């Protein structure tokens, strides 16, 4: 493959129930396959996740590592990415078919912008009910003003994994992501990336974000470990 314009980086850990749907949603994008690299970083899964990923080789490249958390998965995967843009996807989420084309159109039209984020559709795995989460305002912002920093604070939820894409040239300035971050390593990554390169938000839900019993950040009952 010649140098792709975008690398889809899928971080995963024990997602045997979900990883196939995540990968298929990328393979079915309305975006030229020749312009896209798919890299799965398996963070030491102990279930069938790597076996399922290998079904998609050589279209999908699998990078396995010892378990160390999301930050370590990003630190391992980002240097391996060949694309100018890296679009992030968690192994338990999936994308709308026009996700990459919409995001790449923004990057092509705004060469100075480092980050693109967008809305999500939250799907409850137990009830299959969904709710849409969108930024209240779309367009460009940065952190060079109090107003811009406040806008990031308000909309950082649409700049996490599965709904954020970042230029690799910006991410090189961000690495390494502190591996002591047990949760929200993705939002640390996005915050520092926006500080480096500014961001554009799209008021369009392009990702299905799955709520389930293994979410580290989302949980229904009192859980002292995750709390």
């Amino acid at each position: 493959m010649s140098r792709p314009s975008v690398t889809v980086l899928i971080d995963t850990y024990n997602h045997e129930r979900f990883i196939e749907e995540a990968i298929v949603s990328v393979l079915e994008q309305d975006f030229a396959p020749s312009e896209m690299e798919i890299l799965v970083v398996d963070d030491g899964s102990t279930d069938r996740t790597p076996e399922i990923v290998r079904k998609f080789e050589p279209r999908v490249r699998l990078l396995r590592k010892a378990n160390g958390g999301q930050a370590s998965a990003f630190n391992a995967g980002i240097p391996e990415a060949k694309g100018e843009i890296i679009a992030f996807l968690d192994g338990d989420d999936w994308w709308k078919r026009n996700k990459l084309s919409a995001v790449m159109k923004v990057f092509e039209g705004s060469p100075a912008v480092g980050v693109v984020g967008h809305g999500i559709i939250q799907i409850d795995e137990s009830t299959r009910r969904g709710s849409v989460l969108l930024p209240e305002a779309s367009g460009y912002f940065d952190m060079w003003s109090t107003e811009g920093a406040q806008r990031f604070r308000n909309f950082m939820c649409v700049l996490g994994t599965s709904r954020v894409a970042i230029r690799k040239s910006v991410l090189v300035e961000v690495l390494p992501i502190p591996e002591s971050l047990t949760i929200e390593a993705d939002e640390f990554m996005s915050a520092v990336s926006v500080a480096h390169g500014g961001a554009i938000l799209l008021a369009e839900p392009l990702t299905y974000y799955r709520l389930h019993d293994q979410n580290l950040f989302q949980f229904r009952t009192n859980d002292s470990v995750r709390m």
Side-chain angles (χ1 to χ4, degrees):
M1 176 191 286
S2 59
R3 182 178 176 87
S5 57
V6 59
T7 293
V8 178
L9 196 160
I10 304 175
D11 65 295
T12 185
Y13 174 69
N14 285 351
H15 285 148
E16 65 178 5
R17 289 186 292 164
F18 312 125
I19 189 64
E20 184 161 350
E21 186 171 17
I23 293 172
V24 169
S25 78
V26 177
L27 292 172
E28 293 182 347
Q29 289 291 298
D30 62 350
F31 191 82
S34 61
E35 293 294 312
M36 174 175 57
E37 172 192 37
I38 306 171
L39 174 62
V40 175
V41 180
D42 176 48
D43 189 38
S45 291
T46 57
D47 63 3
R48 293 180 56 250
T49 295
E51 175 187 339
I52 295 168
V53 174
R54 287 194 182 100
K55 294 195 309 181
F56 296 94
E57 292 177 337
R59 188 66 188 87
V60 175
R61 180 158 59 109
L62 174 62
L63 174 62
R64 297 201 70 192
K65 58 178 289 297
N67 180 251
Q70 188 183 53
S72 71
F74 291 157
N75 288 337
I78 290 169
E80 293 286 325
K82 299 174 182 176
E84 177 190 355
I85 307 298
I86 302 180
F88 294 87
L89 175 62
D90 281 333
D92 52 351
D93 299 330
W94 72 102
W95 285 344
K96 279 191 174 180
R97 190 168 181 270
N98 65 323
K99 146 82 179 192
L100 279 183
S101 58
V103 167
M104 293 301 289
K105 183 178 180 179
V106 175
F107 278 115
E108 290 166 6
S110 307
V113 168
V115 182
V116 175
H118 56 73
I120 60 174
I121 303 168
Q122 297 185 114
I123 302 293
D124 190 310
E125 182 70 13
S126 63
T127 66
R128 303 306 295 176
R129 292 177 180 172
S131 60
V132 177
L133 179 62
L134 297 174
E136 295 176 5
S138 58
Y140 176 82
F141 74 97
D142 56 39
M143 291 194 186
W144 292 98
S145 65
T146 302
E147 179 184 1
Q150 182 64 50
R151 191 171 181 191
F152 173 80
R153 183 176 182 272
N154 291 343
F155 302 143
M156 63 190 295
C157 59
V158 294
L159 288 165
T161 324
S162 301
R163 59 269 201 200
V164 71
I166 305 172
R167 291 189 190 275
K168 186 173 180 180
S169 58
V170 171
L171 287 165
V172 168
E173 301 297 322
V174 174
L175 295 182
I177 299 168
E179 296 187 7
S180 59
L181 291 172
T182 305
I183 62 169
E184 296 196 341
D186 54 342
E187 294 192 353
F188 175 93
M189 176 181 69
S190 293
V192 181
S193 296
V194 173
H196 275 282
I200 288 179
L201 297 179
L202 299 177
E204 182 178 358
L206 297 171
T207 289
Y208 292 94
Y209 179 85
R210 194 190 310 265
L211 302 174
H212 60 90
D213 58 356
Q214 293 178 9
N215 286 130
L216 187 60
F217 182 71
Q218 302 273 2
F219 48 95
R220 291 187 180 87
T221 58
N222 186 20
D223 186 314
S224 59
V225 174
R226 282 188 275 191
M227 182 67 77

